[in-house]
Amino acid sequence: MGSFIEKFSLEGKVALVTGASYGIGFAIASAYAAAGATIVFNDIKQELVDKGIASYKEQGIEAHGYVCDVTDEDQVNEMVEKIEKEVGVIDILVNNAGIIKRIPMIEMSAKDFRQVIDIDLNGPFIVAKAVIPSMIKKGGGKIINICSMMSEFGRETVSAYAAAKGGLKMLTKNIASEYGEYNIQCNGIGPGYIATPQTAPLREIQPDGSRHPFDQFIIAKTPAARWGEAEDLQGPAVFLASSASDFVNGLILYVDGGIAAYIGKQPK
């Protein structure tokens, strides 16, 4: 049994998780550290990197943090070069950095639309492109793109985000198609609705004691009848980063409590 469980080990691996100072990225990186990987992350500002390093320290993790804008190809190439020199070749890349702007489409400026596409879709392209050559040389690697329910579904006010995350789903399949022969597996994780500080206002109990309308909506749409926790993403993320998934390529694994399988409750 020991040797089978070892397939899930990340011992000796270097994992870069973008935008992982907090939230989903932080949860995934922490799981990788627990599985034996060395953690590298970036964020767009020094103060966020410092906060991230402090949060990892609290968990007993010695993470390496870099200031880097994932939309700037020169900065990304420089960071990857530095990581290779200072830490080692990147075995695992998680494209986690992203933003969302909730604006009705006809009120959204093209500039805002482009910014979301730039960070959520061009960013993963730029970072993946920077790490793939060394993965090829080393004989393999794992790329995990953080997709979304919006890689499959539309919703009011998220036109740019849905366009980016739909594009990221297809970029994932294309990286798998183009570099699978080099023993590179590229898969995606599509988180469902996750309880994070950002979604906390949507879960506040109303003055009359009832659930927030959006909270009610999500619970009704989810067979598990709850929001996900960041921890719910840790097992799937470790699986996709480990040799246990060596023949899994081009998959988007939805960790959504069953939302994508479910038509939803009939109103009472």
Side-chain angles (χ1 to χ4, degrees):
M1 190 63 184
S3 63
F4 177 72
I5 287 297
E6 277 155 26
K7 281 187 182 294
F8 293 87
S9 167
L10 304 180
E11 208 60 56
K13 303 290 186 188
V14 174
L16 168 61
V17 186
T18 66
S21 302
Y22 60 91
I24 285 170
F26 181 83
I28 289 173
S30 301
Y32 286 173
T38 301
I39 301 308
V40 182
F41 74 99
N42 78 298
D43 220 312
I44 198 157
K45 290 192 186 109
Q46 187 65 53
E47 63 193 286
L48 288 170
V49 170
D50 294 342
K51 262 190 197 159
I53 286 173
S55 302
Y56 286 110
K57 268 226 168 79
E58 269 172 42
Q59 305 269 331
I61 299 164
E62 287 297 321
H64 305 261
Y66 295 82
V67 178
C68 178
D69 174 354
V70 294
T71 67
D72 183 322
E73 194 167 13
D74 292 337
Q75 278 187 38
V76 169
N77 289 339
E78 206 175 294
M79 173 181 73
V80 168
E81 231 170 84
K82 254 193 206 164
I83 293 166
E84 289 187 1
K85 273 200 195 98
E86 295 170 11
V87 188
V89 169
I90 294 157
D91 300 287
I92 301 157
L93 165 65
V94 181
N95 278 312
N96 165 74
I99 61 163
I100 188 167
K101 291 192 170 195
R102 293 183 179 89
I103 305 167
M105 181 172 148
I106 59 170
E107 292 167 24
M108 188 173 211
S109 68
K111 184 171 178 265
D112 277 342
F113 187 92
R114 283 192 192 103
Q115 189 195 6
V116 175
I117 300 287
D118 207 18
I119 296 168
D120 293 3
L121 180 57
N122 295 343
F125 163 78
I126 290 167
V127 186
K129 183 173 168 245
V131 304
I132 286 170
S134 292
M135 286 181 174
I136 292 174
K137 260 187 222 144
K138 197 171 179 177
K142 302 277 183 177
I143 298 171
I144 296 150
N145 292 324
I146 302 301
C147 294
S148 165
M149 298 314 306
M150 264 68 267
S151 300
E152 296 295 332
F153 302 109
R155 209 171 80 69
E156 302 79 3
T157 76
V158 294
S159 57
Y161 186 77
K165 292 296 189 178
L168 186 58
K169 170 179 74 172
M170 290 314 301
L171 178 64
T172 303
K173 292 182 182 223
N174 210 80
I175 293 170
S177 306
E178 207 165 343
Y179 298 103
E181 66 181 289
Y182 300 102
N183 189 30
I184 292 170
Q185 291 84 48
C186 181
N187 295 291
I189 290 178
Y193 286 87
I194 306 293
T196 61
Q198 288 96 311
T199 57
L202 301 174
R203 285 175 284 109
E204 272 173 10
I205 297 296
Q206 302 302 286
D208 68 358
S210 68
R211 287 173 173 244
H212 186 288
F214 191 79
D215 188 12
Q216 288 178 26
F217 165 69
I218 291 306
I219 300 301
K221 289 294 280 181
T222 309
R226 67 172 178 88
W227 287 67
E229 301 293 335
E231 290 70 39
D232 288 317
L233 301 166
Q234 291 179 319
V238 168
F239 165 64
L240 291 177
S242 75
S243 64
S245 61
D246 280 354
F247 203 56
V248 178
N249 213 355
L251 170 82
I252 314 297
L253 176 49
Y254 289 98
V255 184
D256 66 355
I259 291 177
Y262 187 41
I263 196 168
K265 274 193 177 63
Q266 184 179 325
K268 287 193 173 67

